[in-house]
Amino acid sequence: MTRKQKRLAVIAGGMGFIAAAVLLVMFAFSQSVAYFYMPADLAKTPVAPETRIRLGGLVGEGSVVRGTGSTVEFAVTDGSTNAVKVQYTGILPDLFREGQGVVTEGMFTAGTNIFVADTVLAKHDETYMPKEVADRLKAQGLWKEGEGQEAQGQEGPGKEAQGQEVKEQQVKATP
């Protein structure tokens, strides 16, 4: 073989190796993809049974029914009239409750409209504040139970200046 032929053989071998690696990665990703749906989306375009998806929305009020063992049934809704019945066996997250945001992962069983979830993720409240910060603001008289975000030291829409003043007062009061 000439020097040029050896160089072409090495380049062709490298390209073949890269192509094989890309195909393996694409195959692995296609096996683990789970599309995200909300109940209104499922009402418009139903999903085939045994297709793995993620279902998100709010836990319906009064829909949580505890079964035998660690089996729980609840409805996921998106604020519209659409609700999807979900069945889950396992330990629920601490933040799971009615009216709270939730994302479930699983699939519909064949012949039923029940979504069997194998993973449940609960979303925390967006107005979360660490206990230490809340206690410090209460001690300063800047935060009271039941008031809006602005009184809690978080900036609300159009209230950037007020939130900044509260943050500055926090910094000054920090020992």
Side-chain angles (χ1 to χ4, degrees):
M1 279 177 126
T2 66
R3 189 172 186 185
K4 185 176 183 180
Q5 290 174 333
K6 287 180 184 179
R7 188 179 318 138
L8 287 175
V10 169
I11 291 173
M15 295 294 278
F17 179 76
I18 290 173
V22 167
L23 288 174
L24 285 173
V25 168
M26 289 176 61
F27 178 74
F29 279 140
S30 70
Q31 297 296 317
S32 65
V33 170
Y35 294 103
F36 182 81
Y37 291 92
M38 293 189 73
D41 299 334
L42 292 174
K44 293 176 188 172
T45 56
V47 175
E50 307 298 324
T51 301
R52 188 161 186 76
I53 65 168
R54 285 187 176 177
L55 172 67
L58 299 174
V59 178
E61 295 290 333
S63 68
V64 178
V65 177
R66 304 222 180 248
T68 59
S70 60
T71 301
V72 179
E73 290 185 0
F74 57 93
V76 173
T77 182
D78 57 359
S80 64
T81 59
N82 304 313
V84 177
K85 187 174 182 180
V86 177
Q87 183 178 16
Y88 175 70
T89 302
I91 299 172
L92 290 169
D94 291 338
L95 298 173
F96 180 87
R97 65 180 183 270
E98 295 177 356
Q100 189 70 24
V102 68
V103 175
T104 61
E105 190 170 337
M107 58 186 73
F108 285 98
T109 54
T112 66
N113 287 334
I114 298 175
F115 184 77
V116 178
D118 54 32
T119 305
V120 174
L121 305 171
K123 293 173 59 177
H124 69 79
D125 188 14
E126 285 78 13
T127 60
Y128 171 75
M129 181 178 294
K131 184 179 182 325
E132 297 84 358
V133 175
D135 289 343
R136 188 177 300 142
L137 290 175
K138 285 179 190 176
Q140 295 173 1
L142 299 173
W143 187 71
K144 295 179 181 89
E145 289 291 334
E147 290 190 10
Q149 289 179 325
E150 293 82 20
Q152 296 177 10
Q154 296 179 1
E155 298 173 8
K159 302 283 187 178
E160 290 84 7
Q162 182 180 359
Q164 186 62 34
E165 290 173 10
V166 172
K167 287 181 182 178
E168 288 173 5
Q169 290 174 1
Q170 255 184 299
V171 172
K172 289 177 186 175
T174 305

